[in-house]
C-alpha cells in the first residue's frame, strides 16, 4: 500500500472515530433547551416554524423513530450527517485542487472544528445546513471540473436543502453570482438555462416555507430577516465575533484557513477554484462582520462557510509551497489540528456535564445544557400529581421544551405566553385548562399583574433546585393557578 493510500485510510478511520466519540457524547449529555424545543417540533411536523425552516424537526423525528425519545435518539441523525458531509467535502477539495492527500486534509480539518463536532452533537439547524453547504460546494466543483450544465440541478437541490435548514443558505445566491461574474470562463453559464433551472429547483423546494409564512403573517421571515436591520453603530460586537470564530474553527484550523485564503487571493490554484472558495467564505464572513458593527452576531451563524473554509485550510496544509518560517507554522498546525480539536471537544463535553474544569463555577453552558433537569422533572411530576394539576405551564420556551421532554410521557405541558412558537401543536384541551394548573419557573407569581388578572387563586406550593454538582444553576418556583377568569393562554402576536 502506498503512503498516500495509507494516509487516506488513516483519515477515514480518524473521522469514523470522531463520529463514534460524538455518538457517545450525544448519549450522555442532557438536551439543551433549544434541542428540547426542536424535539417538540418533531412531534408536530409542519412546513415551517416560527424560528426556522423544518429540516431540524425532520431529522429529530427520524432519529427518535430509530432510537426513541432519548437524548441519543434526538441527536442520532445529526451526528451521522458528518459522514455524507465529509464525503462531499473530500470530493469538493479533490475536484477543485486535485490530489487525495489535500482532500483528506480538508475533510479531517473540517471534522476537527468545534462548529462540526459540537454543532452536530447539539442538534440545531446548523447541522443540516453544514451538510447542504458541503454538497452545494461539491456540485459547484462538478460544474467547474466537468463543464456539464446538468450539475446546476444538483446545485439547486443542495441549496434548496440548505434553505429548508436555515435561512442563511440564501448567501449561496450572491456567492455563486460573484463567482460567475468574477471568472471570465464561467460567465458563459449566465447565457444558458442551467443556473436558472437550478435556482428554480431551489425555490421550488423552499416554496412550502414561503407558503407557510404567507398563511401565518410572514411571522418567521419577519423574525429572522428583522435581525438584518441596522440600528446604531456598535463595533464592539465585532470584537466578540472574531474570537468566537477562532474557537469554533479551533485555533490551528483557523490559522490554516486564513493562510489558505491568503494563498488563494495571491493566485494559488486555478482561477475558478480559488475564486469559488473565496466567494463563499467572504460573502458570508463580510456580511456578518458588517452586521456585527450594529448588533450581536452568534458565532454559529457563519456555519455555511465552514466546508469552503476547510478546503482553504487544506490548500495551506498540502498545496501551497511556503517559505521556511511559514512552513514551520503550517507543519505544526497540520500535525496538531485534529488532536487539538478532539481534546477541545472532550473538554467541552466534560465541562458541560460536570462543571469540574471551572471548579464548578458558572460558564457559558450552565444554563443552556439541561444538566439536572431529569432530576427536577421527577420532583415537578410528583408535585403535579399531589396537587391534582391537569397541566404544567411555563412562561419561556426553554423550560417548556425541557418539561415536555423530561416529564412523564403524556403530561400536558404548554407555554402560557408566546403561543406563536407553537403554531403546529394543538393547544391543551379546554378540560386540561379548566382545573388546577401548575406554573413552573415564575418568580413571585402572585405579584405578576397578568397572572393576577387571569386567575383568582395563585398559591406557591414549592420550589425545585437545578444543580450541576455542587453548583446551584437555578431555582424554579412552583405555583398552583386556579379559578381562571378568562383565556389561560396568551395568544398575542410577536413584537419585533
Amino acid at each position: 500500500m502506498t503512503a498516500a493510500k495509507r494516509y487516506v485510510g488513516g483519515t477515514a478511520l480518524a473521522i469514523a472515530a470522531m463520529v463514534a466519540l460524538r455518538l457517545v457524547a450525544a448519549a450522555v449529555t442532557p438536551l439543551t433547551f433549544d434541542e428540547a424545543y426542536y424535539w417538540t417540533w418533531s412531534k408536530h411536523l409542519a412546513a415551517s416554524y416560527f424560528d426556522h425552516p423544518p429540516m431540524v424537526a425532520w431529522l429529530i423525528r427520524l432519529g427518535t423513530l430509530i432510537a426513541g425519545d432519548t437524548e441519543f435518539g434526538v441527536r442520532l441523525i445529526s451526528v451521522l450527517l458528518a459522514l455524507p458531509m465529509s464525503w462531499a467535502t473530500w470530493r469538493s477539495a479533490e475536484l477543485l485542487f486535485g490530489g487525495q492527500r489535500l482532500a483528506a486534509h480538508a475533510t479531517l480539518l473540517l471534522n476537527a472544528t468545534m462548529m462540526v463536532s459540537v454543532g452536530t452533537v447539539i442538534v440545531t439547524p446548523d447541522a443540516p445546513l453544514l451538510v447542504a453547504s458541503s454538497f452545494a460546494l461539491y456540485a459547484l466543483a462538478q460544474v467547474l471540473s466537468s463543464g456539464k450544465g446538468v450539475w446546476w440541478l444538483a446545485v439547486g437541490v443542495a441549496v434548496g436543502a440548505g434553505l429548508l435548514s436555515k435561512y442563511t443558505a440564501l448567501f449561496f445566491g450572491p456567492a455563486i453570482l460573484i463567482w460567475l461574474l468574477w471568472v471570465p470562463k464561467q460567465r458563459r453559464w449566465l447565457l444558458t438555462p442551467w443556473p436558472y433551472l437550478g435556482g428554480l429547483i431551489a425555490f421550488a423546494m423552499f416554496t412550502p416555507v414561503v407558503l407557510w409564512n404567507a398563511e401565518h403573517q410572514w411571522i418567521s421571515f419577519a423574525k429572522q430577516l428583522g435581525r438584518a436591520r441596522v440600528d446604531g453603530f456598535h463595533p464592539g460586537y465585532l470584537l466578540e465575533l472574531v474570537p468566537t470564530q477562532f474557537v469554533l474553527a479551533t485555533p490551528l484550523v483557523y490559522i490554516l484557513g486564513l493562510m489558505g485564503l491568503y494563498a488563494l487571493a495571491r493566485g494559488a490554484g486555478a482561477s475558478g477554484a480559488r475564486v469559488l472558495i473565496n466567494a463563499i467564505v467572504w460573502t458570508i464572513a463580510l456580511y456578518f462582520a458588517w452586521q456585527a458593527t450594529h448588533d450581536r452576531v452568534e458565532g454559529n451563524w457563519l456555519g455555511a462557510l465552514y466546508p469552503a473554509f476547510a478546503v482553504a485550510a487544506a490548500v495551506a496544509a498540502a498545496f501551497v509551497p511556503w517559505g521556511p518560517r511559514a512552513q514551520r507554522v503550517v507543519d505544526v498546525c497540520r500535525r496538531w489540528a485534529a488532536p487539538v480539536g478532539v481534546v477541545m471537544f472532550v473538554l467541552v463535553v466534560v465541562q458541560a456535564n460536570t462543571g469540574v474544569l471551572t471548579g464548578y463555577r458558572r460558564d457559558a453552558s450552565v444554563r443552556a445544557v439541561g444538566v439536572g433537569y431529569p432530576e427536577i422533572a421527577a420532583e415537578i411530576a410528583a408535585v403535579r400529581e399531589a396537587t391534582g394539576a391537569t397541566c404544567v405551564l411555563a412562561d419561556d420556551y426553554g423550560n417548556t421544551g425541557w418539561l415536555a421532554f423530561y416529564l412523564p410521557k403524556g403530561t400536558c405541558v404548554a407555554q402560557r405566553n408566546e403561543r406563536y412558537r407553537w403554531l403546529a401543536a394543538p393547544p391543551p384541551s379546554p378540560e386540561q385548562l379548566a382545573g388546577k394548573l401548575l406554573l413552573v419557573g415564575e418568580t413571585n407569581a402572585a405579584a405578576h399583574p397578568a397572572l393576577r388578572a387571569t386567575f383568582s387563586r395563585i398559591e406557591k406550593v414549592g420550589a425545585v433546585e437545578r444543580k450541576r454538582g455542587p453548583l446551584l444553576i437555578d431555582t424554579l418556583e412552583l405555583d398552583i393557578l386556579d379559578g381562571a377568569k378568562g383565556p389561560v393562554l396568551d395568544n398575542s402576536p410577536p413584537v419585533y
Side-chain angles (χ1 to χ4, degrees), residues 18 21 111-114 117-118 249-253 336-348:
M18 289 179 180
L21 179 62
N111 277 274
T113 65
M114 292 295 99
S117 57
V118 175
T250 69
L252 302 184
V253 177
W336 293 104
V340 167
V342 170
V343 170
M344 287 179 64
F345 173 69
V346 170
L347 293 178
V348 166

Side-chain angles (χ1 to χ4, degrees), residues 283-295:
T283 298
I284 298 171
L286 291 178
Y287 171 80
F288 283 116
W290 171 82
Q291 187 174 340
T293 63
H294 305 285
D295 200 357

Side-chain angles (χ1 to χ4, degrees), residues 280-367:
I280 293 172
V281 171
W282 291 114
T283 298
I284 298 171
L286 291 178
Y287 171 80
F288 283 116
W290 171 82
Q291 187 174 340
T293 63
H294 305 285
D295 200 357
R296 178 168 282 109
V297 171
E298 301 294 338
N300 61 295
W301 294 358
L302 285 76
L305 65 77
Y306 269 72
F309 188 75
V311 174
V315 168
F319 187 78
V320 177
W322 299 97
R325 183 177 299 177
Q327 188 61 53
R328 284 195 293 271
V329 173
V330 167
D331 290 342
V332 170
C333 292
R334 181 175 56 200
R335 183 176 299 114
W336 293 104
V340 167
V342 170
V343 170
M344 287 179 64
F345 173 69
V346 170
L347 293 178
V348 166
V349 173
V350 170
Q351 175 63 16
N353 279 279
T354 68
V356 67
L357 300 181
T358 57
Y360 303 105
R361 290 188 291 271
R362 291 184 177 273
D363 64 5
S365 71
V366 72
R367 281 191 177 272

Side-chain angles (χ1 to χ4, degrees), residues 29-30 42 45 87 103 131 138 175 179 191 198 210 242 271 305 350 356 371 374 399 410 416 426 430 446-447:
T29 305
S42 75
L45 296 180
W87 179 87
V131 182
Y138 166 64
W179 176 57
L191 302 177
V210 177
V242 173
S271 63
L305 65 77
V350 170
V356 67
V371 172
N399 276 310
R416 190 185 64 83

Side-chain angles (χ1 to χ4, degrees), residues 123-142:
V123 56
T124 71
D126 295 305
L129 177 64
L130 278 165
V131 182
S133 299
S134 66
F135 274 90
L137 180 61
Y138 166 64
L140 289 165
Q142 285 284 11

